[in-house]
Amino acid sequence: MEYIAGTAGALLLLAVLSSILRTLVVPRGLYSMLVFRLWWLLRRLLRLTTPRGDYEAIDRAQTWLAPLMLIGMLASWLTGALLGFGLLLFALSSLTWTTAFREAGSSLFTLGFASGARWKLSVLDFFAAATGPVLIALQIAYLPTLYAAYNRREVEVTLLQARAGEPSWGPEILARQWLVDTETALPELYRAWERLASDMGESHSTYPVLLTFRSPRPYRSWLVGLVAVMDAAALQLALDPKSAPPEARLVLRAGFSALRDIARAVRAPFEEDPAPNAPIRLTYAEFDAAVAVLDSTGFRAERTPRRHGPTSGAGGSTTRPSPMNCAAAATPYRPCGPAPATSRRPRSRRAARWTAARTTHRRASDLHERP
């Protein structure tokens, strides 16, 4: 029994140490099963508190995910260390289970009320006494890094509200610039979000717990904001490639790279090298509504969307090239999906923005919380 307890204690301490190093120390975004399983559990427990399932209620509940994650990680590591040292103390001495765990807790939390004069156990007591304070210090030092990255992210997301609305929508960015004749400010916006995308790709893949930090407002999201800026750049490149600034291509590339880095960190599946004619979710009706919004604001498009039916890809699946793929390839835009028999214009720009942006926000929220 002592051998089993000793082996289990040593393995448990190694698992805890590995999780701490992967999460707090190594700047590489390494996967920690303990942290991600805790993320999965807490997220689902919070979802149980919102039986109605409406987005506002889910957002209020998921706001608590970030602080619970930070507290849960520290509690999990301390509990694992307590169990590991307790099992080792039991295996290397004649102490009872109760006494072994009592002495492990006394040493781990530097209380010192339950230690003996035994040499072998004193060594373990010293290691346990060093583990507790070092672990807590690492967690405390971890917080400024997280909140600094969160602050940089949310400043740009808040600034985007005046340009893209709430929730953010790519065509709204272009529409508002053309309405007030400030389209010359787009290169600066693209540069700011290119830098932010690179920043988020590094920080959110290195510290994936940042994905649990939600924006202060329900319909603000760094992910939806990034997608909106990328959509605006793709639309401008697809419809008016000659006057589109070079920063549009750069922000598209930075956004792709950042989202791929984050997806790798959380092990979310994605296509490494998608074909230009691969199936997408964007429909012709959605693209037509976006073009209608731009037309109503005086957007000067060099190209007009040409309507045609979908082509059949491998396996008979419908292929609908997206503005992003076509813009990146510098080819004329081919609209997504079959052209409707009667093209319906949106009742208003606000209605079109809310219909499309709320759909995008719900789709993107899964990665926002994904373990």
Side-chain angles (χ1 to χ4, degrees):
M1 185 63 182
E2 286 79 5
Y3 292 106
I4 297 176
T7 303
L11 292 176
L12 185 57
L13 285 177
L14 287 176
V16 170
L17 178 62
S18 174
S19 178
I20 294 171
L21 293 177
R22 286 170 173 266
T23 306
L24 302 181
V25 180
V26 180
R28 195 64 182 269
L30 300 178
Y31 185 84
S32 171
M33 182 177 293
L34 188 150
V35 172
F36 278 80
R37 291 304 170 192
L38 175 66
W39 189 347
W40 180 88
L41 176 63
L42 290 175
R43 183 187 173 193
R44 275 149 184 79
L45 288 177
L46 290 173
R47 286 296 294 268
L48 292 177
T49 64
T50 56
R52 291 184 301 167
D54 60 285
Y55 177 78
E56 286 77 9
I58 293 174
D59 180 77
R60 284 194 299 270
Q62 295 295 332
T63 301
W64 293 97
L65 182 59
L68 289 177
M69 275 292 299
L70 295 175
I71 296 172
M73 287 191 304
L74 181 59
S76 299
W77 290 328
L78 289 174
T79 302
L82 174 63
L83 293 175
F85 282 114
L87 290 171
L88 285 178
L89 287 171
F90 174 79
L92 297 176
S93 69
S94 58
L95 298 177
T96 63
W97 288 103
T98 304
T99 306
F101 283 106
R102 184 170 179 267
E103 183 165 333
S106 172
S107 301
L108 184 65
F109 297 104
T110 63
L111 300 176
F113 64 82
S115 61
R118 301 164 298 276
W119 182 81
K120 288 191 298 184
L121 299 190
S122 295
V123 173
L124 284 177
D125 288 336
F126 286 139
F127 275 111
T131 300
V134 169
L135 175 54
I136 295 173
L138 284 174
Q139 180 79 343
I140 293 174
Y142 183 55
L143 294 180
T145 302
L146 293 182
Y147 281 99
Y150 174 79
N151 183 67
R152 291 194 303 270
R153 185 188 82 187
E154 293 305 314
V155 166
E156 293 296 335
V157 173
T158 303
L159 289 173
L160 185 65
Q161 179 190 6
R163 299 171 182 253
E166 186 178 320
S168 301
W169 189 38
E172 184 76 8
I173 296 176
L174 299 179
R176 293 193 180 193
Q177 302 301 318
W178 258 262
L179 271 176
V180 294
D181 296 326
T182 56
E183 59 269 21
T184 54
L186 282 172
E188 182 183 354
L189 175 69
Y190 293 150
R191 282 194 296 269
W193 276 85
E194 178 194 359
R195 182 174 294 276
L196 180 63
S198 301
D199 188 345
M200 291 190 298
E202 186 276 329
S203 60
H204 289 53
S205 60
T206 303
Y207 305 110
V209 72
L210 276 168
L211 297 173
T212 65
F213 283 72
R214 302 180 77 89
S215 296
R217 297 280 294 273
Y219 286 101
R220 284 185 198 168
S221 169
W222 65 269
L223 183 55
V224 176
L226 176 59
V227 171
V229 174
M230 293 170 67
D231 281 346
L235 272 173
Q236 192 173 9
L237 286 167
L239 297 176
D240 197 12
K242 288 186 178 179
S243 63
E247 288 84 357
R249 292 183 183 275
L250 297 177
V251 75
L252 274 176
R253 189 67 224 174
F256 291 150
S257 300
L259 292 177
R260 287 179 177 181
D261 290 343
I262 295 171
R264 290 189 189 98
V266 299
R267 297 191 174 183
F270 68 95
E271 182 63 43
E272 288 279 354
D273 188 19
N277 61 344
I280 63 171
R281 289 185 176 183
L282 181 67
T283 65
Y284 182 90
E286 291 172 333
F287 179 77
D288 190 48
V291 174
V293 169
L294 294 180
D295 288 342
S296 66
T297 61
F299 179 83
R300 298 179 297 275
E302 176 190 345
R303 297 168 177 169
T304 58
R306 296 191 300 271
R307 299 178 178 180
H308 60 82
T311 59
S312 178
S317 62
T318 299
T319 57
R320 301 188 295 267
S322 70
M324 291 184 185
N325 291 336
C326 295
T331 59
Y333 175 71
R334 298 170 59 194
C336 303
T342 57
S343 177
R344 291 185 179 180
R345 299 298 187 186
R347 294 180 181 177
S348 67
R349 202 168 93 250
R350 181 180 177 84
R353 175 170 64 84
W354 271 89
T355 300
R358 285 171 70 98
T359 302
T360 304
H361 199 285
R362 289 192 179 97
R363 289 173 181 171
S365 61
D366 284 340
L367 179 59
H368 201 285
E369 306 159 0
R370 185 188 181 103

